[in-house]
Amino acid sequence: ELLRQLFNQGTGPAPGQDADDVAALHIRASEWFEAQGLEPEAFQHAIAANDIERAERLIDGNGSPLYVRGQTVPVLNWLESLPVSTLNARPWMWITFATVLSIVGKVSHVEPNLQAAESAMDNVQSIDMKQHLVNRIEELRELLGILTADPIQMDATIARTNRVDPGTLAVSPAALWKLGLAYFYSGERRPAVKAFVNAISVSEATGNVHVNILASTSLARAIELDNELTRAAETFRRVLRLVGDPPGPVACEAYAGLARIFYERNDLEAAQQHGEKSLELARQVEIASFVTSELVLVHLQLAEGDTSAAIASLARTAETVGDKRFRYRMPDVVAMQVLAFLKQGRLEDAAQLARQHELPMAQARVSLAQGDALSALATLEPLRLQLEDKGWQKERLEVMLLQALSHYANDDQDAAIRVLSDVLEIAEPEGFVRTFVDEGVPMAQLLSLAAARGIRPDYVSRLRAALGVEEHEAETKSAPLPVKPVQSLAEPLSQRELEILQLIANGLSNRQISERLFLALATVKGHNRNIFGKLQVERRTEAVARARELGLL
């Protein structure tokens, strides 16, 4: 009956009816909805009645605020509509306003609201209330510090949270999630996972959907970095179900995570779709998620051979990441830039970036591209030990793969195969593909050696097919090239020289060889001179003919 009366009034009082009568009807409707446990509807009628105190109480939700139960936008719209004088009279509402802004990703607006709350604190008479508000302001600033990977803030969060009585902490899923983030950004992934799992458990028990989404997203990323792609994908999909349809900006990281997993499993079309959706959502907020989304799409550009577009995209991303709020993401951007420069043959640019930012894995890649496999191995061995000590599985897998390629380039096939076998054992259960495919021709040759030795035949066959090796062999109707052909030369050709000789025979120019093998053009020309000298020839055609006579091709 109340709703029928309100509906009949439209947006205002009927002729001859006082506006107070309509407001009274809205208040009665709000009370009725609240009694039925329908707080979102009760909140809407409190707003319509302009009953600020009632709306404020309903937002709080007895410890489970409406803005963490799927009502973020209605609450934000109402707060934005309030005059400054109203907020100044209630400084705790400035803090609620700042909290909601942080949830929707408008982080640049959070600090001004916190400062407004501090300025309005004189209106609070209770000392206990003042201290409560000060604590909430500190918590929000702490969260912003963690989201920008401030090491001082992360250490403080870990120290303070670990001193809190577990019984008290259990009622605060947000505190558990922040603790997990602090651990995660500090590089301590195992305790981070534990904190995220606890945050999810408590958020489910308290109905805190927002923290459930955040903690589940963080957990999925940690699981992904532990090389558990299937479990990570399931958790990312759970996040999307929690977010609902249409998805809000908070889903951007889940879409990016699924894009990475689709990419790894070589489903490039699905990866592109999820990557584009991720970027669309990430651009609606002011946090570093856009970097994650853009790097996924750059990876796809590199996979498709559009290196120039990838480098241009990375330049724009690097410029944005120069902002102090996002600077902690710079190593991720630079590592991708090094890959792109190597693919384009810009060896000096890649080397300069790797040195400037002190990225050991990137430096190892540069050394390998320069033909200095021993330097690459010298960099990779201590790095692998560090990663094993930390328990960082994804990065360890990448280092081991580079180690295998470096041993192979150094003509130590047995060492290369030993390391590759360990990598394949780790990668096969979760269906890794692009980790291998993205290494190009050297990986194709190393996998051919693994195939010849009967190592994990089914998986190696799938990887070689993804690299196009088996298709090429079928087209040419020839057996795989012997990896170490018999030579009758006074000074045998090295493995790298044999590799380049084969590409010469395939008709590739020096420039194309440098791009294919990620070598500097000058390095390729140097290998050519060595090959010609050992074969005692002066030109390419003579080198190919002499190599065929010797059974090298």
Side-chain angles (χ1 to χ4, degrees):
E1 180 59 30
L2 285 170
L3 292 176
R4 184 179 295 110
Q5 291 180 52
L6 284 169
F7 180 78
N8 290 337
Q9 305 308 322
T11 58
Q17 185 177 23
D18 196 293
D20 290 341
D21 294 336
V22 176
L25 286 172
H26 277 296
I27 291 173
R28 289 174 60 195
S30 178
E31 291 170 345
W32 185 88
F33 277 116
E34 184 181 9
Q36 308 308 310
L38 301 172
E39 292 177 338
E41 291 81 356
F43 171 67
Q44 292 295 339
H45 284 286
I47 292 174
N50 198 29
D51 189 332
I52 293 174
E53 290 185 4
R54 180 171 183 78
E56 179 187 351
R57 181 177 61 76
L58 288 165
I59 287 176
D60 182 63
N62 293 319
S64 181
L66 286 179
Y67 50 79
V68 301
R69 289 189 280 152
Q71 297 298 308
T72 309
V73 173
V75 171
L76 179 61
N77 289 341
W78 179 63
L79 290 169
E80 288 178 333
S81 72
L82 294 176
V84 171
S85 59
T86 299
L87 294 167
N88 283 340
R90 298 170 174 80
W92 50 87
M93 290 183 67
W94 276 120
I95 298 173
T96 299
F97 200 171
T99 301
V100 178
L101 287 167
S102 71
I103 288 174
V104 299
K106 296 184 178 181
V107 293
S108 62
H109 299 278
V110 172
E111 181 59 32
N113 281 27
L114 296 180
Q115 292 176 8
E118 289 172 328
S119 299
M121 208 79 79
D122 291 340
N123 295 324
V124 180
Q125 302 302 318
S126 168
I127 295 176
D128 290 343
M129 175 57 76
K130 278 188 177 180
Q131 187 57 52
H132 172 69
L133 298 180
V134 167
N135 292 342
R136 286 190 62 189
I137 290 171
E138 288 180 354
E139 288 173 0
L140 274 172
R141 286 181 173 147
E142 170 189 83
L143 176 59
L144 294 179
I146 294 172
L147 291 175
T148 56
D150 179 346
I152 296 175
Q153 186 62 73
M154 289 187 291
D155 290 344
T157 299
I158 292 170
R160 185 181 62 260
T161 308
N162 284 337
R163 287 197 302 268
V164 177
D165 179 76
T168 303
L169 186 61
V171 301
S172 177
L176 285 165
W177 173 62
K178 285 191 294 184
L179 175 62
L181 282 183
Y183 275 127
F184 185 81
Y185 287 130
S186 298
E188 300 181 62
R189 293 179 183 170
R190 291 190 184 97
V193 167
K194 182 178 179 181
F196 293 144
V197 170
N198 288 339
I200 292 168
S201 176
V202 176
S203 65
E204 287 177 342
T206 58
N208 193 325
V209 178
H210 183 68
V211 173
N212 195 350
I213 290 168
L214 297 174
S216 297
T217 304
S218 300
L219 176 63
R221 179 58 176 150
I223 293 170
E224 180 191 352
L225 290 173
D226 212 27
N227 291 336
E228 297 184 49
L229 302 187
T230 302
R231 185 179 164 211
E234 291 171 353
T235 308
F236 281 129
R237 290 191 178 99
R238 175 179 175 274
V239 169
L240 295 183
R241 289 194 296 272
L242 285 170
V243 173
D245 193 25
V250 73
C252 64
E253 290 281 357
Y255 276 105
L258 287 171
R260 286 191 300 271
I261 294 170
F262 278 123
Y263 178 85
E264 182 57 57
R265 290 176 168 169
N266 211 25
D267 188 344
L268 302 189
E269 183 178 351
Q272 184 76 36
Q273 292 172 354
H274 284 74
E276 289 175 354
K277 185 63 177 178
S278 171
L279 184 58
E280 174 193 334
L281 295 172
R283 282 175 172 161
Q284 299 175 29
V285 294
E286 299 173 356
I287 55 179
S289 296
F290 75 93
V291 178
T292 304
S293 308
E294 290 179 348
L295 290 182
V296 169
L297 295 175
V298 165
H299 228 144
L300 284 158
Q301 289 174 322
L302 291 176
E304 293 163 358
D306 198 351
T307 310
S308 297
I311 289 174
S313 297
L314 286 167
R316 291 191 296 270
T317 304
E319 184 177 355
T320 306
V321 170
D323 184 298
K324 65 180 180 180
R325 291 175 297 159
F326 310 133
R327 201 166 294 156
Y328 71 100
R329 297 301 307 272
M330 186 61 83
D332 299 325
V333 177
V334 171
M336 191 71 77
Q337 284 180 310
V338 170
L339 280 176
F341 285 149
L342 289 176
K343 280 186 174 291
Q344 205 174 52
R346 293 169 58 179
L347 198 57
E348 288 304 318
D349 290 334
Q352 181 180 352
L353 271 180
R355 283 194 306 269
Q356 178 184 346
H357 293 270
E358 299 180 348
L359 301 177
M361 202 177 305
Q363 290 172 330
R365 284 193 176 278
V366 171
S367 296
L368 192 56
Q370 291 171 330
D372 190 354
L374 288 175
S375 291
L377 288 168
T379 301
L380 292 169
E381 183 58 31
L383 179 59
R384 177 177 172 179
L385 293 175
Q386 292 171 17
L387 294 170
E388 288 174 347
D389 185 56
K390 290 181 177 180
W392 286 19
Q393 299 304 324
K394 180 179 185 296
E395 293 85 350
R396 172 175 174 262
L397 183 69
E398 293 172 358
V399 166
M400 291 172 67
L401 203 62
L402 284 179
Q403 281 183 308
L405 291 170
S406 298
H407 282 305
Y408 186 70
N410 195 44
D411 286 337
D412 190 346
Q413 295 181 10
D414 290 338
I417 285 297
R418 280 197 302 272
V419 179
L420 179 65
S421 296
D422 292 339
V423 173
L424 292 169
E425 182 180 1
I426 296 168
E428 182 175 14
E430 292 293 338
F432 282 78
V433 175
R434 292 304 309 192
T435 291
F436 298 89
V437 170
D438 289 346
E439 300 298 338
V441 172
M443 178 54 62
Q445 295 179 331
L446 184 52
L447 287 169
S448 292
L449 176 59
R453 297 193 182 187
I455 296 170
R456 295 189 174 269
D458 292 342
Y459 187 38
V460 168
S461 178
R462 292 203 305 273
L463 294 176
R464 294 177 75 223
L467 276 156
V469 175
E470 295 185 343
E471 180 182 351
H472 174 72
E473 289 174 358
E475 289 176 354
T476 57
K477 297 182 181 179
S478 61
L481 293 173
V483 178
K484 198 73 171 180
V486 177
Q487 302 187 31
S488 57
L489 296 171
E491 184 181 357
L493 297 181
S494 70
Q495 188 62 47
R496 177 64 86 183
E497 289 165 351
L498 286 168
E499 187 177 353
I500 290 175
L501 181 59
Q502 179 62 54
L503 295 177
I504 290 174
N506 291 345
L508 273 69
S509 67
N510 287 340
R511 171 67 67 184
Q512 290 170 324
I513 292 172
S514 73
E515 293 176 355
R516 178 76 66 88
L517 300 183
F518 310 134
L519 296 175
L521 186 58
T523 302
V524 174
K525 291 180 178 178
H527 282 305
N528 285 352
R529 287 192 294 271
N530 292 338
I531 293 169
F532 292 175
K534 292 178 181 181
L535 294 177
Q536 297 182 345
V537 298
E538 294 182 355
R539 51 182 64 89
R540 280 174 157 239
T541 53
E542 293 174 351
V544 172
R546 177 66 174 147
R548 293 195 188 283
E549 291 174 6
L550 296 171
L552 300 178
L553 296 173

